[in-house]
Amino acid sequence: AQSVTQLGSHVSVSEGALVLLRCNYSSSVPPYLFWYVQYPNQGLQLLLKYTSAATLVKGINGFEAEFKKSETSFHLTKPSAHMRDAAEYFCAVNRGSQGNLIFGKGTKLSVKP
Amino acid sequence: KAGVTQTPRYLIKTRGQQVTLSCSPISGHRSVSWYQQTPGQGLQFLFEYFSETQRNKGNFPGRFSGRQFSNSRSEMNVSTLELGDSALYLCASSLPSSGSNHEQFFGPGTRLTVL
């Protein structure tokens, strides 16, 4: 069975500081991993996805994530936080060939001025 | 290209009623998935439709059902509403091919409140 664990339901950083959101996965097969962002009263927007082509994945809005098989991790980072990055972030894994996503509980990111 | 659209955006119902939510996928997308989002349970998969057939189903009671039409538009229905059905219901569409790495594009959701 596949699952995703996001460490920390709330993360607060200062504007300009490093953003690090943690995600660990459990999968019996090579996983496809995703990071989505959700702004208030909106749906989910894909930030980036890992599909085994490269372990370091660059996404939109300056975010990137590194797939580490040995640590079963797929942490999301951004070198310098902006106020507009304040949102909820979800890590997700794909459930084999059937396509539906299994999501983590989400991490709410706050950015202080 | 227009994104995924969901109607209505907000809905208020009372216990025992039923409700139908609608989702129009991105043009050319034939797979439509539904998710329920609540503060307590997070994002949970309801079901997926592909070419008018339910291809995959999550762990929800039979009160939750769905269908897909020949134009790929999808509806989900919840009968005998309970207070716990209050949630944001999200629809997502993806490209026609099967395969785990296809990105799912999400709509803005329908916020259902059950009183």
Side-chain angles (χ1 to χ4, degrees):
Chain A
Q2 295 177 313
S3 65
V4 169
T5 302
Q6 290 184 241
L7 293 173
S9 58
H10 287 87
V11 170
S12 181
V13 300
S14 298
E15 195 171 20
L18 171 73
V19 175
L20 171 61
L21 304 182
R22 300 177 187 273
C23 172
N24 288 88
Y25 70 90
S26 171
S27 176
S28 56
V29 298
Y32 294 102
L33 294 159
F34 306 81
W35 274 100
Y36 282 86
V37 62
Q38 186 177 36
Y39 298 100
N41 298 315
Q42 293 188 28
L44 301 175
Q45 180 183 13
L46 182 72
L47 280 175
L48 49 82
K49 62 181 180 182
Y50 167 74
T51 58
S52 76
T55 57
L56 183 62
V57 182
K58 293 188 183 300
I60 63 171
N61 301 340
F63 284 93
E64 64 181 37
E66 186 172 8
F67 174 73
K68 292 187 177 180
K69 185 178 179 180
S70 61
E71 299 177 10
T72 61
S73 69
F74 189 57
H75 301 331
L76 181 71
T77 61
K78 181 173 180 177
S80 177
H82 292 271
M83 297 296 292
R84 62 177 177 265
D85 295 328
E88 192 158 19
Y89 293 79
F90 293 92
C91 183
V93 64
N94 209 247
R95 201 184 83 149
S97 62
Q98 292 176 307
N100 68 282
L101 296 167
I102 297 171
F103 286 92
K105 292 292 187 183
T107 297
K108 194 163 288 187
L109 175 68
S110 300
V111 182
K112 299 174 290 187
Chain B
K1 196 182 247 189
V4 178
T5 58
Q6 292 187 245
T7 57
R9 289 293 311 278
Y10 301 91
L11 207 48
I12 299 175
K13 292 286 188 179
T14 56
R15 280 182 298 173
Q17 286 187 308
Q18 75 166 25
V19 67
T20 300
L21 312 181
S22 181
C23 171
S24 292
I26 291 171
S27 178
H29 287 194
R30 289 167 57 193
S31 171
V32 173
S33 298
W34 289 89
Y35 295 84
Q36 181 195 64
Q37 185 178 22
T38 60
Q41 299 299 316
L43 281 152
Q44 294 186 288
F45 171 71
L46 281 155
F47 27 67
E48 179 203 7
Y49 285 86
F50 179 76
S51 293
E52 302 178 64
T53 302
Q54 188 179 88
R55 185 161 70 172
N56 193 13
K57 187 178 187 303
N59 188 26
F60 277 81
R63 299 185 298 107
F64 292 81
S65 62
R67 59 178 175 168
Q68 187 181 33
F69 302 95
S70 58
N71 62 358
S72 295
R73 191 177 69 86
S74 178
E75 290 181 346
M76 67 163 281
N77 184 77
V78 187
S79 62
T80 320
L81 283 166
E82 300 177 359
L83 294 178
D85 297 334
S86 294
L88 181 67
Y89 289 88
L90 292 164
C91 168
S93 74
S94 58
L95 285 169
S97 303
S98 63
S100 309
N101 61 339
H102 280 299
E103 173 185 351
Q104 294 194 4
F105 294 82
F106 283 80
T110 294
R111 172 76 63 185
L112 172 64
T113 301
V114 182
L115 303 176

